[in-house]
Amino acid sequence: MAKSKPKPSFESWGRYPRLDAKLVPLHWRGDFPLRKAADGPMLPVGAGRSYGDVCLLEGGTLLHTRGMDRLIAFDPQSGLLRCEAGITLAEILDFAVPRGFFLPVTPGTKYVTVGGAIANDIHGKNHHSAGSFGCHVPRFELVRSDGTRILCSPTENAEWFRATVGGMGLTGLITWAEIRLRPIVSRMIDYQGDKFVGLDEFFTLANSAKTEYTVAWIDCVSTGRNFARGIFMHGEHATIPGSLKKSKEPWLTFPIDLPEIALNKFSMAAFNTAYYNKQLKKQQKAVVDYEPYFYPLDSVLQWNKMYGKAGLLQFQNVIPFEAGKEGMAEILKAITRSGLASFLAVIKFFGDIPSPGMMSFPAPGVMLALDFPIRHEVSFDLLDRLAAITLDYGGRMYSAKDARMTAAQYQTFYPNWQAFLPYIDPAFDSAFWQRVTGRRAIDA
C-alpha cells in the first residue's frame, strides 16, 4: 500500500495545494535577516488564512511571524495603534474594543495577522465607505533580506509602500505597522436584513444602501423562480452606549475531516433553503453583537475541515459595474449547471475609493466570493470557467483566495505586474508567484 503524503509544516486555509517548506519561527523584530543562510527562497507567512498558494512554497523557507505579536504603542486620542506584524486582528480587538475602538476594515475572519492584512490589502463589508485595509495604515517597517530597513508611508518611500500593500509578502518582511482604529461606543451593530430574489432586486438594494457596512448572502444552488435569492445585510455601529467587554474565546472546534459525500448538491441546497427561510419576514431589524455580524464562521475553529481532506477552492472576483449584472448572472448559471454547490457565498458592491497598493485586488464593481469543495477535475473545470467569464467581463480575481488562475489571466487582471518586479526581494518567492508569472521571483 502506498504511504499517504505527510502533512506539510504549514497549510493554507484551503489546504490545497499541499506543498512543504521549512518553517522558521520569528519571535523578535531582530530575528530577520536570519543568522543562518535559509534553505532556498523565503516567504513571510502569518496565520495561514490565505486560501490558495499565495502563502506557500515548494521547498525553501517560510518565515512564520506569529511570534511577533506585541502591541507597541497606542494613542487613545487619535486611535493610532502601532503593533508587530504577527499579531492577529482578534488580538487587536481584545485590546481595542474595551477601550472603545474597532478595526477600520475587517474581513470575514478576525484570525488574520496584520502583516497578512497588509500583504493582501484585505477588504471588508465597508469597502464602499472606507476602502481597503491599506487605506488605514499610515506607516510600517519593511526589512529586506540584506538587512535594509525601510520606513514606508504614503509620503515616505512611497514607492515601497505602494508595492508592499497588496504585494503578497514578496517585497520583504513587514516587522511592525501602524493602524488607525475607529471609535465605537458599544459592541453592538444595528442590523437590517432584506430578503431578495434575483440580481435585479440585489442591485436595487445595493444601490440604495446608506449604511457603513453592507453585504449579501446569495443562494448559488437554487434555480427557476428562486434563482439568485438571498439576504442583504445592512449594518451600522450602534450609537447608544453599551457593553465594550472583550469577546469570549470560541470553544467549539470542528472535530474531523468530513467525507466527500457529506457536502453535496442536495445537502447544500437544504442548508441554503433553511438559511434563506430563517428570516421569516421580507425585512427584519435587530441589534446584534459584532461577532456574529462580522465573523459568523469564527465561532467554530478549523471549520475548513468540513470540506474534507481534499480541501476547498475559493473563487473571488470583481466585475465592473457596467458589466456586473450580466457577468454575475453568467457566473451563477455556470455554477448551477456544474452540479457543484456552495453555501458560503457572498456578493457586495465595492466602492470607488482607490486602493493604495499597485497589486491590490479591490476595484469599483460587483464582488462575488464563494467556496467549493475540491471534487477533482469537476471543481477545477468550474473554476477555470468562472475565471474565463471574469476575464470576458473585464473583471479580476483575488490573489489571496486563488489556487487556479493561469499566468495569462493573472497578467491581464493585474497589468502592473511587471512594474512590481523591481520591488520583489531577490531572496523571496512564492508558489503563487511562480504559477502566475511562469518564473521564480528570484529570477525577476
Side-chain angles (χ1 to χ4, degrees), residues 3-279:
K3 293 183 178 179
S4 60
K5 193 174 181 179
K7 181 180 179 180
S9 59
F10 188 84
E11 289 184 320
S12 66
W13 193 244
R15 305 170 77 188
Y16 174 86
R18 295 172 71 87
L19 307 176
D20 205 4
K22 182 180 180 181
L23 193 65
V24 174
L26 303 181
H27 297 284
W28 302 96
R29 283 166 267 165
D31 286 351
F32 184 77
L34 302 178
R35 291 170 179 78
K36 291 175 60 177
D39 294 339
M42 296 179 282
L43 180 69
V45 296
R49 286 295 178 132
S50 299
Y51 279 68
D53 53 359
V54 76
C55 63
L56 298 178
L57 267 175
E58 179 67 77
T61 299
L62 297 176
L63 306 170
H64 195 207
T65 63
R66 274 293 287 131
M68 296 164 50
D69 61 352
R70 300 169 190 84
L71 299 168
I72 300 172
F74 179 62
D75 180 352
Q77 300 303 314
S78 65
L80 187 65
L81 174 73
R82 183 183 295 181
C83 58
E84 291 182 334
I87 197 169
T88 65
L89 301 188
E91 290 162 342
I92 290 177
L93 287 169
D94 286 347
F95 169 83
V97 170
R99 290 165 174 79
F101 286 91
F102 199 75
L103 297 163
V105 168
T106 181
T109 175
K110 60 181 180 179
Y111 296 121
V112 302
T113 63
V114 165
I118 296 172
N120 295 291
D121 198 15
I122 60 170
H123 54 270
K125 296 176 175 64
N126 60 346
H127 183 270
H128 59 286
S129 59
S132 62
F133 192 82
C135 296
H136 305 273
V137 177
R139 200 162 61 140
F140 57 79
E141 181 187 64
L142 182 72
V143 180
R144 303 274 286 177
S145 60
D146 64 1
T148 303
R149 293 178 180 270
I150 307 173
L151 283 178
C152 303
S153 79
T155 57
E156 184 177 10
N157 297 307
E159 71 280 14
W160 287 100
F161 183 89
R162 188 166 174 262
T164 302
V165 174
M168 300 163 286
L170 292 171
T171 62
L173 177 76
I174 300 169
T175 55
W176 59 262
E178 292 177 344
I179 306 165
R180 187 166 286 112
L181 304 177
R182 57 147 297 158
I184 56 172
V185 298
S186 168
R187 291 177 55 92
M188 307 308 284
I189 298 291
D190 291 330
Y191 168 84
Q192 177 179 313
D194 289 306
K195 297 174 82 170
F196 63 88
V197 178
L199 288 174
D200 286 339
E201 204 170 338
F202 162 75
F203 269 70
T204 299
L205 286 166
N207 277 317
S208 61
K210 304 295 183 188
T211 51
E212 179 176 354
Y213 302 103
T214 63
V215 70
W217 168 82
I218 189 166
D219 183 351
C220 293
V221 179
S222 295
T223 58
R225 66 180 183 178
N226 290 326
F227 176 71
R229 65 180 176 178
I231 301 174
F232 195 96
M233 306 173 199
H234 313 255
E236 292 272 20
H237 288 284
T239 56
I240 298 175
S243 171
L244 290 169
K245 65 183 180 183
K246 175 181 165 183
S247 294
K248 295 179 180 177
E249 294 294 325
W251 56 271
L252 188 60
T253 299
F254 208 87
I256 59 170
D257 291 301
L258 288 184
E260 284 192 8
I261 196 172
L263 287 185
N264 54 60
K265 184 174 181 177
F266 302 105
S267 61
M268 293 193 196
F271 173 89
N272 284 2
T273 297
Y275 191 86
Y276 180 76
N277 290 310
K278 74 171 186 175
Q279 178 175 319

Side-chain angles (χ1 to χ4, degrees), residues 334-355:
I335 294 169
T336 56
R337 283 196 300 266
S338 73
L340 288 176
S342 173
F343 63 92
L344 297 176
V346 297
I347 186 169
K348 75 169 266 88
F349 278 7
F350 276 158
D352 57 4
I353 299 174
S355 298

Side-chain angles (χ1 to χ4, degrees), residues 296-374:
L297 292 173
D298 282 349
S299 60
V300 181
L301 300 176
Q302 298 180 23
W303 61 260
N304 53 346
K305 285 186 176 180
M306 76 172 72
Y307 286 91
K309 292 182 179 178
L312 68 141
L313 295 169
Q314 178 155 111
F315 170 80
Q316 186 165 7
N317 75 345
V318 59
I319 293 179
F321 287 119
E322 55 270 24
K325 192 181 299 184
E326 187 180 357
M328 287 303 173
E330 188 165 336
I331 283 173
L332 293 175
K333 289 175 183 175
I335 294 169
T336 56
R337 283 196 300 266
S338 73
L340 288 176
S342 173
F343 63 92
L344 297 176
V346 297
I347 186 169
K348 75 169 266 88
F349 278 7
F350 276 158
D352 57 4
I353 299 174
S355 298
M358 69 167 69
M359 305 302 286
S360 294
F361 163 66
V366 192
M367 185 282 298
L368 177 70
L370 59 171
D371 297 342
F372 295 103
I374 293 181

